[in-house]
Amino acid sequence: MSDQIILQGTTSEALVNLISEGVKIQLDKFKKELANPDPDILLTRDEACELLKINSSTLWHWTNKGKVIAYGIVNRRYYKRAELLAAIKPLKV
């Protein structure tokens, strides 16, 4: 059996239009999610370190100094994405 898909009752132009519409809808949805991320998204330690491009020991020190706030469930720690980004301040040059 060959790797062919047989479409009956549709033209190539109609198929191209259907695919284009589907891709456009998905791209618009993706753009909206990037433009307005949920501020209460909880990040794990590793995700927070990756977001800030820091080592986990640095995140631990910042948490103990109160520079960032950690939230816990049992023995797990989470960080709110919006609070991590808000903790970044401009440097005075």
Side-chain angles (χ1 to χ4, degrees):
M1 183 177 260
S2 64
D3 293 335
Q4 294 181 353
I5 298 174
I6 299 173
L7 299 172
Q8 296 178 349
T10 186
T11 64
S12 60
E13 292 84 18
L15 182 60
V16 168
N17 287 338
L18 284 171
I19 293 171
S20 296
E21 283 182 38
V23 169
K24 184 179 180 200
I25 290 169
Q26 291 299 320
L27 282 175
D28 288 342
K29 182 180 174 184
F30 185 64
K31 284 180 188 178
K32 287 178 185 176
E33 288 176 5
L34 284 178
N36 299 319
D38 185 8
D40 291 331
I41 291 177
L42 293 176
L43 303 175
T44 64
R45 288 181 207 170
D46 291 337
E47 291 169 338
C49 289
E50 185 177 324
L51 175 70
L52 298 173
K53 306 282 192 270
I54 58 172
N55 192 312
S56 60
S57 64
T58 303
L59 183 63
W60 182 82
H61 286 290
W62 288 358
T63 303
N64 286 342
K65 289 181 182 180
K67 293 184 179 186
V68 293
I69 301 169
Y71 298 90
I73 300 173
V74 187
N75 60 348
R76 295 183 180 262
R77 287 190 172 212
Y78 296 97
Y79 298 86
K80 288 186 180 179
R81 184 177 195 272
E83 290 179 358
L84 291 174
L85 295 175
I88 299 173
K89 298 179 183 176
L91 297 174
K92 295 179 184 178
V93 182

